[in-house]
Amino acid sequence: MEINPLVQKQQCLRKQPSFSNFPASPSAKAAILKTIKQEDNSSASQKHQIVQIPDSPYTLVIFDSPHKIGVFKTKEFLGKFSTTLETGFNLYESTFKKDANYFVNNKLVYGLTTIPEGRHAYVNHKKIHVFPLEKYFSSSRYAWDYKNLYFFYLNEPIKVHSYQPISFQ
């Protein structure tokens, strides 16, 4: 069976992150830094890493000390970028559980979770997108604590029916 080249090209384009969903330009990073200064000027001078999450509008800013992750939503319109701070997660320098979920109108949108090695994360029996964060803490003396830490996000917010919406299989 031969595949139509036009259909094949459209499928290929759909799989790759678009520029607006994967900000890599200096102007996108400048918009994120501007938002950091507006929201918390003291954090703007701290050492940080900007982590773009593929195929999503989310960008994480990971601060070294104290360990903190800011979740930013980045949008592009006519070549100009705007960002909003969605939330911030504090990661405490310990071995305690670091899971955190973010809800909008009682619907789960994204969060942080620790996933046992060799397992996959599910919400309402559907596999979710996860992005590993451990490499961003590799130089930290607490790297072992963050070994299985993941950022997860859902394409559409969903209503969850239990206190702990993440399951592992």
Side-chain angles (χ1 to χ4, degrees):
M1 183 174 144
E2 194 172 314
I3 298 175
N4 181 339
L6 182 60
V7 171
Q8 189 175 14
K9 184 177 180 181
Q10 287 173 339
Q11 288 174 343
C12 182
L13 289 174
R14 253 185 258 139
K15 290 179 186 174
Q16 296 179 6
S18 69
F19 183 71
S20 62
N21 285 346
F22 194 70
S25 74
S27 57
K29 289 180 182 179
I32 291 167
L33 293 174
K34 180 180 175 185
T35 303
I36 292 171
K37 283 182 181 177
Q38 289 173 344
E39 297 292 331
D40 182 9
N41 196 26
S42 63
S43 293
S45 61
Q46 291 180 359
K47 188 176 175 187
H48 62 273
Q49 300 173 71
I50 296 177
V51 180
Q52 292 111 17
I53 306 298
D55 296 325
S56 87
Y58 300 112
T59 302
L60 305 181
V61 178
I62 301 174
F63 296 93
D64 285 349
S65 183
H67 289 170
K68 180 171 65 172
I69 296 178
V71 180
F72 293 82
K73 196 167 195 176
T74 305
K75 296 178 184 175
E76 180 206 2
F77 182 70
L78 299 175
K80 300 214 182 230
F81 289 90
S82 65
T83 60
T84 55
L85 175 64
E86 294 288 300
T87 192
F89 296 113
N90 286 313
L91 302 174
Y92 300 102
E93 298 170 343
S94 71
T95 57
F96 293 112
K97 197 172 183 181
K98 293 163 186 55
D99 296 1
N101 298 319
Y102 185 76
F103 292 86
V104 172
N105 297 327
N106 294 321
K107 292 184 176 181
L108 181 64
V109 182
Y110 58 82
L112 295 175
T113 190
T114 49
I115 299 176
E117 207 166 320
R119 300 279 184 113
H120 298 282
Y122 293 82
V123 173
N124 290 352
H125 307 290
K126 292 181 182 176
K127 194 172 179 181
I128 59 172
H129 304 287
V130 294
F131 186 81
L133 297 175
E134 68 183 78
K135 72 179 179 181
Y136 300 101
F137 297 100
S138 62
S139 63
S140 166
R141 65 181 177 164
Y142 300 99
W144 184 257
D145 293 343
Y146 304 119
K147 184 173 189 257
N148 296 315
L149 185 65
Y150 291 81
F151 176 75
F152 71 87
Y153 58 97
L154 306 168
N155 290 334
E156 294 290 326
I158 58 173
K159 190 100 172 148
V160 292
H161 300 290
S162 66
Y163 178 73
Q164 178 56 281
I166 305 280
S167 63
F168 306 104
Q169 296 177 8

